C-alpha cells in the first residue's frame, strides 16, 4: 500500500499532491487565456462553481450593468437573446409610462364617434324643424353617442393615470433581469469554458469587434421597440416594411411569363407523362373498382393475414365491411387506385434515387433542399403550376400527391444505407463480394427496415392528400369529405373520414406487419 493509503487519505481528494498542484496551475493558466480580463476574479469564481455539480450563484457586476451586451460579447447568445427580450420589455414599459400617449387609442375612438355625433345632431335639428316622426329616434341616438363619448373619455383618463404604474412595472422587470444576469453570468461562462477546453475553436475572451457588434445590435433592438410602442403610428418605417407594390406586380408577371414559356415548350413531354400516369391509374382502377368486391376484399384480408397475422386480418375485414355497408366501397377503391399510382411511382423513383445518393454526399446535399421544398411548401401552392402543366384531373392529383409524399422514401433509404456498419461491408469485400453482391446481399437487407419505414411514410403522406387532391378532379373518398365541407354535412364528413383512416390502417399493417 502507498503512503497516502497508510495515512488514510483518498488520492482523489488530495489537493496537495504534485499532480493536483500541476493540474490546478494548468487550469488557472487556461482560465487566464480564456477570459483575458480580470483573470483572478474568474479563477476564484470558476473554482467555486466547479467545486459543486449544482448551480452555484456568484455575482458579476459587469454582467448586471451591461446585461445582454456582456453576454453577446462573451459569445453566450443563448443567454443574451432571452435577457434582451426581458430588458426590451422593461425599457418599453418605462418609455410608455414616461413619454407614451396611453390614451391615444381612446381619443381616436372619441374623434370617430364625434363625427357620427355631429351628423346625428344635424339630423335631429332637421327633424325638429320639419316636425318629423323620427325626432325621438335621433334624440336617443344622440344621447347614446354622448354617453359613449363620456365613457370612453373616462377610460382615457384612467389609462393616462396608469403611467406611473407602468413605469414601476418596467423598473421591477429591469431589476429582476439585471439581478438574474448578475447571478448566472459566471455559471454560464464557466460552462462555456468547459466547452472551450475540449474544443479550442469555441470563441474566448471579448474581442473589441464583438463588443461593438453586440452593443450596436442590442441598442438598435431596444431603441426600435421603445419608439414603436411608445409612439405608435408616428414612425411608419417601424410599422410597415418599406416596399413598393410594383415590385410584387413585376415579380408576378415574371413568374407567369416563365410558367407560360415552360408550358409552350414542354407540351409534348407533359402530354407523354400524363398519358403514362393515366395508363397506370386506369389499370389500377380496373383491378380495384371493376373487379368484384368479394375478390378484392378476400385478397386484402389474405394479404393482411400473411403479413400481420390473423387478428389484424379480422380487423381489416371489419374495416372493409364498414366501407361497403356505408356505401364507400367504390370511393375507397378509387382512392386506393389513385394512392397506389402515386405511391408506386414515388417508390420506383425514390428508392433508386436514395440508393444513388447514399454513397454520394454532394449529390444528396444538392437534392436535400429540393426535398425540403417539396415537403414543406403548402399543397395549394404547388397545385397551381401542376394544374398549368397537367390540367385538372386525376393525373394532376397523382403528381401533387407524389410531390408531397415522395420524399420520405428517399430520405429513409439514404438513412438506412448509411447506417449499414462499415465492418460488415468490409468483411463482405474481404471475402470477394463485388458491388452488386454487396448491394443486394448486404446493404439492402440490412437497410430494409428503414426502407420499409420510408415506404410506409410515403403511403401515409399520400393518403393525407386525398381531400386536397379532390379539389383538382380526383374522385374517391376525398370527394365525399369535400362535399361534406361544402354543405356542412357533418355526418357524411365524419363517416368518410373514418373510411380514409381505415384505408390507412390496412395499408400500414400490410407494409409494416412483417417487420413488426
Amino acid at each position: 500500500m502507498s503512503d497516502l493509503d497508510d495515512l488514510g487519505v483518498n488520492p482523489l481528494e488530495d489537493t496537495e499532491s504534485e499532480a493536483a498542484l500541476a493540474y490546478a496551475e494548468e487550469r488557472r493558466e487556461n482560465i487566464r487565456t480564456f477570459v483575458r480580463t480580470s483573470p483572478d476574479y474568474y479563477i476564484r469564481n470558476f473554482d467555486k462553481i466547479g467545486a459543486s455539480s449544482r448551480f452555484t450563484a456568484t455575482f458579476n457586476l459587469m454582467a448586471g450593468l451591461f446585461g445582454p451586451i456582456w453576454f453577446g460579447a462573451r459569445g453566450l447568445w443563448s443567454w443574451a437573446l432571452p435577457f434582451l427580450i426581458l430588458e426590451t420589455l422593461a425599457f418599453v414599459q418605462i418609455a410608455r409610462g414616461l413619454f407614451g400617449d396611453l390614451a391615444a387609442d381612446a381619443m381616436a375612438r372619441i374623434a370617430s364617434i364625434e363625427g357620427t355625433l355631429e351628423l346625428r345632431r344635424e339630423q335631429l335639428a332637421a327633424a325638429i324643424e320639419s316636425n318629423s316622426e323620427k325626432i325621438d329616434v335621433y334624440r336617443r341616438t344622440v344621447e347614446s353617442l354622448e354617453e359613449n363619448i363620456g365613457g370612453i373619455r373616462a377610460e382615457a383618463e384612467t389609462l393616462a393615470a396608469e403611467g406611473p404604474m407602468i413605469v414601476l412595472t418596467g423598473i421591477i422587470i429591469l431589476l429582476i433581469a439585471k439581478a438574474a444576469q448578475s447571478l448566472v453570468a459566471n455559471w454560464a461562462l464557466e460552462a462555456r469554458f468547459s466547452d472551450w477546453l475540449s474544443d479550442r475553436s469555441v470563441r474566448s475572451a471579448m474581442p473589441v469587434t464583438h463588443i461593438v457588434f453586440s452593443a450596436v445590435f442590442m441598442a438598435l433592438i431596444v431603441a426600435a421597440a421603445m419608439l414603436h410602442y411608445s409612439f405608435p403610428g408616428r414612425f411608419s418605417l417601424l410599422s410597415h416594411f418599406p416596399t413598393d407594390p410594383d415590385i410584387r406586380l413585376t415579380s408576378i408577371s415574371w413568374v407567369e411569363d416563365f410558367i407560360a414559356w415552360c408550358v409552350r415548350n414542354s407540351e409534348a413531354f407533359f402530354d407523354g407523362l400524363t398519358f403514362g400516369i393515366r395508363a397506370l391509374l386506369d389499370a389500377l382502377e380496373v383491378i380495384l373498382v371493376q373487379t368484384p368486391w368479394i375478390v378484392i376484399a378476400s385478397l386484402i384480408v389474405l394479404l393482411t393475414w400473411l403479413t400481420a397475422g390473423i387478428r389484424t386480418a379480422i380487423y381489416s375485414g371489419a374495416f372493409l365491411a364498414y366501407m361497403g355497408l356505408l356505401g364507400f366501397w367504390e370511393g375507397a377503391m378509387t382512392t386506393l387506385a389513385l394512392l397506389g399510382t402515386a405511391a408506386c411511382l414515388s417508390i420506383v423513383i425514390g428508392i433508386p434515387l436514395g440508393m444513388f445518393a447514399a454513397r454520394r454526399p454532394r449529390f444528396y446535399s444538392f437534392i436535400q433542399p429540393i426535398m425540403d421544398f417539396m415537403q414543406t411548401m403548402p399543397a395549394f401552392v404547388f397545385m397551381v403550376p401542376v394544374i398549368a402543366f397537367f390540367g385538372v384531373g386525376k393525373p394532376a392529383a397523382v403528381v401533387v400527391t407524389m410531390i408531397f409524399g415522395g420524399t420520405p422514401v428517399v430520405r429513409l433509404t439514404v438513412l438506412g444505407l448509411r447506417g449499414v456498419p462499415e465492418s460488415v461491408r468490409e468483411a463482405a469485400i474481404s471475402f470477394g463480394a463485388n458491388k452488386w453482391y454487396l448491394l443486394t446481399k448486404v446493404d439492402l437487407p440490412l437497410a430494409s427496415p428503414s426502407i420499409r419505414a420510408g415506404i410506409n411514410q410515403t403511403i401515409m403522406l399520400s393518403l393525407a392528400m386525398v381531400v386536397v387532391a379532390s379539389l383538382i378532379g380526383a374522385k374517391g373518398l376525398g370527394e365525399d369529405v369535400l362535399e361534406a365541407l361544402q354543405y356542412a354535412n357533418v355526418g357524411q364528413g365524419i363517416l368518410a373520414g373514418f373510411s380514409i383512416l381505415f384505408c390507412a390502417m390496412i395499408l400500414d399493417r400490410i407494409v409494416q406487419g412483417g417487420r413488426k
Side-chain angles (χ1 to χ4, degrees), residues 135-277:
I135 293 176
D136 292 337
V137 175
Y138 288 135
R139 183 175 287 115
R140 287 194 299 269
T141 303
V142 169
E143 292 174 354
S144 176
L145 291 174
E146 288 175 345
E147 289 179 3
N148 287 340
I149 289 176
I152 296 173
R153 200 178 301 279
E155 179 186 345
E157 293 174 356
T158 303
L159 290 172
E162 290 180 354
M165 184 59 66
I166 293 176
V167 172
L168 181 60
T169 303
I171 292 174
I172 292 173
I173 294 174
L174 183 61
L175 291 177
I176 292 174
K178 293 295 185 183
Q181 291 169 118
S182 300
L183 295 176
V184 305
N186 291 333
W187 182 74
L189 189 61
E190 197 275 340
R192 188 173 181 84
F193 169 69
S194 300
D195 295 337
W196 177 80
L197 289 176
S198 58
D199 182 7
R200 293 304 173 99
S201 63
V202 174
R203 200 181 73 194
S204 61
M206 295 178 68
V208 176
T209 54
H210 293 167
I211 297 174
V212 172
F213 172 78
S214 180
V216 172
F217 177 78
M218 308 297 176
L220 286 176
I221 295 296
V222 172
M226 290 173 61
L227 291 174
H228 175 70
Y229 289 106
S230 301
F231 310 101
R234 189 171 300 181
F235 302 96
S236 59
L237 180 64
L238 299 177
S239 303
H240 306 285
F241 194 92
T243 185
D244 188 342
D246 291 337
I247 296 176
R248 184 173 66 175
L249 295 175
T250 303
S251 301
I252 291 172
S253 177
W254 287 352
V255 173
E256 290 179 346
D257 292 341
F258 175 73
I259 295 295
W261 180 84
C262 291
V263 171
R264 286 194 306 269
N265 292 274
S266 57
E267 185 176 358
F269 171 76
F270 286 106
D271 286 346
L273 197 59
T274 302
F275 176 79
I277 294 173

Side-chain angles (χ1 to χ4, degrees), residues 280-426:
L280 179 58
L281 183 60
D282 290 342
L284 287 177
E285 285 188 345
V286 168
I287 296 172
L288 294 173
V289 179
Q290 297 184 17
T291 303
W293 66 268
I294 192 169
V295 176
I296 298 299
S298 300
L299 290 175
I300 293 175
V301 171
L302 178 62
L303 186 59
T304 309
W305 177 36
L306 294 175
T307 57
I310 185 65
R311 180 179 299 178
T312 307
I314 294 173
Y315 289 145
S316 297
F319 295 158
L320 295 173
Y322 169 89
M323 289 183 277
L325 291 173
L326 293 179
F328 293 122
W329 180 266
E330 185 173 348
M333 294 303 105
T334 303
T335 297
L336 289 178
L338 177 69
L339 168 67
T341 302
C344 287
L345 292 174
S346 298
I347 292 167
V348 168
I349 296 172
I351 292 179
L353 187 62
M355 293 165 56
F356 183 81
R359 306 299 176 191
R360 295 167 178 82
R362 290 186 179 179
F363 177 75
Y364 186 63
S365 63
F366 170 74
I367 65 171
Q368 202 166 10
I370 300 174
M371 293 191 296
D372 293 339
F373 169 81
M374 293 167 60
Q375 204 162 10
T376 57
M377 181 64 68
F380 291 100
V381 176
F382 55 71
M383 192 181 292
V384 177
V386 168
I387 292 174
F389 289 115
F390 294 92
V392 176
K394 292 181 179 179
V398 170
V399 174
V400 169
T401 304
M402 288 175 59
I403 292 174
F404 183 75
T407 56
V409 68
V410 180
R411 295 182 188 275
L412 289 173
T413 299
V414 172
L415 180 65
L417 291 174
R418 288 184 175 179
V420 175
E422 285 297 325
S423 58
V424 176
R425 302 184 82 249
E426 291 173 0

Side-chain angles (χ1 to χ4, degrees), residues 85-151:
I85 295 173
L86 280 177
E87 290 201 4
T88 302
L89 176 62
F91 283 121
V92 165
Q93 294 295 90
I94 295 171
R96 283 181 66 235
L98 292 176
F99 312 110
D101 188 358
L102 302 177
D105 291 340
M107 299 307 295
R109 287 158 56 197
I110 290 175
S112 175
I113 295 175
E114 283 179 342
T116 305
L117 177 60
E118 185 64 28
L119 176 62
R120 293 294 181 260
R121 283 173 175 168
E122 293 176 358
Q123 292 174 340
L124 176 60
I128 293 173
E129 185 178 348
S130 62
N131 197 21
S132 172
E133 297 178 353
K134 295 184 177 181
I135 293 176
D136 292 337
V137 175
Y138 288 135
R139 183 175 287 115
R140 287 194 299 269
T141 303
V142 169
E143 292 174 354
S144 176
L145 291 174
E146 288 175 345
E147 289 179 3
N148 287 340
I149 289 176

